[in-house]
DNA sequence: GTCTATACGGAGATAGAC
DNA sequence: GTCTATCTCCGTATAGAC
């Protein structure tokens, strides 16, 4: 049994330091390639100290991902308050790109890591948030073409974040460029160009 | 000719079976999440039998990736025989999308796995092929916007392949849709930045 | 090419003192 | 909240027989 981590504690400073150290390493080596020993070393403590915060590695992973998941939830919630599909898509797009550029490393990890991919399938809240995002972006009963575009976009955003050839692009420029691509893919103009 | 692979053995049937089994598991669990024991079980043999083909796990990984790398090389070579940047980009696009749809699992692995990402940085031939592809798609001394688009595209293609909400889309449709997106991003009509 | 058997290290995890 | 010490299991890898 994999236990639901209804761990709603507010995450003190120690925990936050742990999250940050773990995240750095996850982004570099993947979750499976990162041992608790590595994390402990990164923080300058021992494994046992890490185990004080989480009972298992899996719970640690969930703990690291959760704050990011929360922010995505907020974006979706905000989008739902808007009227009209186009406005909703635009809002998700903006919020997501913002979030993703701001938390580069995190999104790379959450989007790409095999371990987290499994979590996406099995962890109830991740399934839920992922589903809601796709639904908001694609719309109900979307045609294949639309679903492909959405999947393409969600996966595409990580490219510029991870690609070394884009390392020189600063956050603001990146945000603008990715938004541009996102609009092209998900908000095609009806008749003419605007 | 598609260059030498460190290990230029012709890959008999046993080796090919091994590659396929390993690939299936890599795609599911990531390279680090796949033990040689799992691979052996998948093939119905023992670990020692696997070690008959490769001396280390890393060599196995390279062996699995190489055939795919060779096909990418062929695509690039073919593109270089064409005259004009647009024609070259179009050719790479077509070849790559074809290849990627045909070898879904493989591309997901090569594009996404943390272990292979490190290989991309350190393994000479992978560095080379990756660099050549970006150069062909982006052009020499490309501006940031173009580089972002290329990175976005290369990462975006894996989305529809991996996303469960696109599972019902058959290969031909997928190919067409992804090509469409690729042209939008990389071959803008009446290019303002070509 | 495949097997059995085994070496060795490092992984995740626990106990209990400070 | 952090430590030392320790457990167990499984990972990679090797030796040598069939």
């Amino acid at each position: 049994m994999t236990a639901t981590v209804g761990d709603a504690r507010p995450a003190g400073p120690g925990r936050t330091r742990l999250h940050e150290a773990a995240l750095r390493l996850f982004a570099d080596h993947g979750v499976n390639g990162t041992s608790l020993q590595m994390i402990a070393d990164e923080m300058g403590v021992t494994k046992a100290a890490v185990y004080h915060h989480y009972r298992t590695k899996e719970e640690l992973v969930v703990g690291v991902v959760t704050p990011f998941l929360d922010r995505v939830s907020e974006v979706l919630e905000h989008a739902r308050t808007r009227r009209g599909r186009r406005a909703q898509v635009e809002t998700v797009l903006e919020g997501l790109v913002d979030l993703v550029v701001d938390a580069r490393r995190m999104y790379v990890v959450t989007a790409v890591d095999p371990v987290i991919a499994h979590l996406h399938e099995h962890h109830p809240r991740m399934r839920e948030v992922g589903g809601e995002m796709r639904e908001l972006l694609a719309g109900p009963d979307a045609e294949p073409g639309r679903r492909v575009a959405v999947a393409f976009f969600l996966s595409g955003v990580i490219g510029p974040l991870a690609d070394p050839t884009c390392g020189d692009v600063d956050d603001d420029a990146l945000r603008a460029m990715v938004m541009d691509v996102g609009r092209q893919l998900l908000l095609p103009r009806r008749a003419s160009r605007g």
Side-chain angles (χ1 to χ4, degrees), chain A residues 25 39 58 64-65 78 99 121 123-124 131 135 153 170 193-194:
Chain A
L25 293 165
I39 297 172
E58 182 175 342
V64 168
V65 168
H78 178 216
L99 181 51
E121 287 171 35
H123 192 277
E135 167 116 13
F153 173 77
D170 68 90
R193 19 176 45 210

Side-chain angles (χ1 to χ4, degrees), chain A residues 70 72-85 87-92 125 128-137:
Chain A
D70 289 338
V72 174
S73 278
E74 281 169 37
V75 168
L76 299 183
E77 231 174 296
H78 178 216
R80 267 190 287 260
T81 67
R82 307 214 48 193
R83 291 201 334 279
R85 286 256 312 116
Q88 293 194 344
V89 171
E90 174 83 21
T91 306
V92 174
R125 196 156 103 81
E128 193 191 312
V129 172
E132 285 173 4
M133 180 155 61
R134 279 171 178 76
E135 167 116 13
L136 262 170
L137 286 178

